[in-house]
Each structure stands twice: as structure tokens, then as C-alpha cells.
Amino acid sequence: MSETKPTSAPRYRPLTFGVTRIAAREGDGGTRYIKADQPLGDYAARITDRFLHWAQTVPERSFLARRTRQADGSTGDWQHLSYGQALASARALGQALLDRGLSVDRPVVILSENGLEHAQLALGCLYAGIPYCPASPAYCLVSQDYDKLRHILHTLTPGLVFATDAARYGKAILAAVGADVEVVLHEGSLEGRPTTSLASLLATAPTAQVDAAMQATGPDTISKFLFTSGSTKMPKAVVNTH
């Protein structure tokens, strides 16, 4: 069967949606093609680009903040992390991760609710070009069999697992994380299991290697793995890129 080639280029007609002008044309089988009526402007090549911009422009400005919690359950003062501090910690943590040879085949798994330490480690991963996975805290704190956590660890084969609090996450770590995987903790320790403190990673002196690793990342670099909810079957890993 021979193909019929178009005798002229497809013609678009202008349309306006709010303040955005687009051009549209009809295709075969009811397909409709649209394109912007203006060229794409400049955009960041990686997630860390805008972070670096503000860290260099307003390093003292607060980037993240949280309320401290008192022993009686009341909230205390705000704890701030400036853009400059966040960049410094990202470079230090990124260097520590590179020193451990972590990669897409040996990523970082984070067992933590949202928090400053979680954010700092995530930024360190992004800066160094090492993927990470923020695993759902429920797989550690609600689950009693840890099957979904084991599934995530088996799927990703992490080289490092981080948890904010040994008291809350220790039972899950001891049950599911292999002895050959380094465990980093922000608070506490695990009986019978060697661990590394987050403070020691933050004390790592960054080198030109970590800055080169950041520059080597691009739009197609894997930034993290997000797992589906697993409400019907085991969670599935979704790859996120810069």
C-alpha cells in the first residue's frame, strides 16, 4: 500500500487561551495538535539551579524553618536554615555520599517525616547527582510486618539508609535493612548494629569533586525514586529526573 504524502506543510490557526496564544491544527483521526505561539524561554537544566541562585544571591535568607517542640508537647522557638547554610550542608553531605561510592545502583533511602535533616540529605543527594527515595514513614511506623519496606529496599538495593530517630525507626531498620547497608541516624543508636551519625557526614569537607558532580547532572539525571501507594499491590518505583 502506497502512502499519500502531504503536498504542503500543515497549517496552524491562531487561538487565544487567556493571555497565552497558541496555534492549533487538526490531524488524522481527530487528533489535534497545538503549539505555543512564542518560543520557550530560558529554564533551569537541573533542580539545584534555582537553589544555587538564591544561595548565592541571598545566603542569609531563611530557606526552611520548623518549630521546636518542648517536652510537654508545646511548641517552642523557630529553628531556621538559611540558603547559605543549606548549600554548605548539601556540599558536605554530597561529598560524603560520593566518598561512599553511592550511585543509581546504590541510592539513598530516607526513613523520615518531613524535617530539616530530611531536606538537607535530599539536597545533598541532588547536589551530588545521587538518587534518593523518601520511603513512606507508615511502612516503618504503622506496618508490623515491614513487607513494603523490604520490597522497597530489595527493589532499590540502597547503599545507605537514613533515619531521623532510632527510637521511632529502629525496629523497622533492624528487621528490614541488611547488615551490609550503612545506617545513618540523626538521633539515637541501635543495639547490636553499628551506625553513623548525620553530624559526622555534615562534618565532611567538600572538594571540587562534589561541585563537578553537580555540574555533570542534567535534565535526564535521575533525582529520586517515588513509590506508589501500594494500596492494591506492592508499591512500584516511579523514576523522577531533574
Side-chain angles (χ1 to χ4, degrees):
M1 180 181 296
S2 62
E3 295 184 356
T4 302
K5 296 184 179 180
T7 57
S8 60
R11 303 183 65 178
Y12 287 83
R13 66 182 189 279
L15 297 172
T16 301
F17 285 83
V19 296
T20 303
R21 288 185 58 81
I22 67 170
R25 70 176 176 85
E26 303 296 330
D28 296 335
T31 303
R32 179 172 296 174
Y33 297 91
I34 62 172
K35 67 177 182 179
D37 200 26
Q38 60 209 43
L40 182 64
D42 292 336
Y43 60 93
R46 55 188 68 85
I47 295 174
T48 49
D49 284 352
R50 301 311 298 162
F51 168 64
L52 283 170
H53 167 78
W54 291 111
Q56 295 163 0
T57 304
V58 287
E60 300 304 319
R61 181 180 296 177
S62 288
F63 172 49
L64 298 170
R66 69 176 169 196
R67 292 290 292 270
T68 58
R69 187 167 294 279
Q70 308 300 321
D72 61 2
S74 62
T75 55
D77 296 332
W78 283 95
Q79 181 181 0
H80 292 263
L81 183 71
S82 70
Y83 277 98
Q85 291 170 328
L87 176 57
S89 65
R91 294 183 69 241
L93 291 170
Q95 182 67 56
L97 300 178
L98 290 173
D99 290 344
R100 287 160 167 77
L102 302 184
S103 65
V104 66
D105 296 318
R106 300 179 64 242
V108 172
V109 170
I110 297 177
L111 309 179
S112 170
E113 297 94 338
N114 290 334
L116 297 186
E117 294 77 26
H118 182 150
Q120 286 176 294
L121 185 55
L123 283 170
C125 291
L126 291 172
Y127 198 92
I130 295 169
Y132 72 99
C133 171
S136 172
Y139 298 161
C140 299
L141 305 179
V142 178
S143 173
Q144 297 301 307
D145 56 23
Y146 308 118
D147 282 350
K148 290 181 179 179
L149 176 60
R150 288 191 179 92
H151 169 72
I152 288 174
L153 298 174
H154 176 75
T155 301
L156 296 183
T157 62
L160 184 148
V161 171
F162 168 74
T164 49
D165 185 357
R168 287 168 58 77
Y169 291 92
K171 185 177 179 181
I173 291 172
L174 292 174
V177 180
D180 59 333
V181 179
E182 182 178 12
V183 174
V184 175
L185 297 172
H186 172 53
E187 295 180 344
S189 60
L190 299 177
E191 185 176 355
R193 174 76 185 251
T195 60
T196 305
S197 69
L198 180 64
S200 68
L201 268 62
L202 285 166
T204 305
T207 70
Q209 179 192 19
V210 71
D211 299 317
M214 185 275 295
Q215 291 294 337
T217 63
D220 294 327
T221 302
I222 297 176
S223 59
K224 62 182 176 181
F225 301 102
L226 285 179
F227 277 78
T228 59
S229 64
S231 55
T232 56
K233 296 181 179 180
M234 281 296 179
K236 295 180 176 61
V238 180
V239 175
N240 286 231
T241 63
H242 280 256

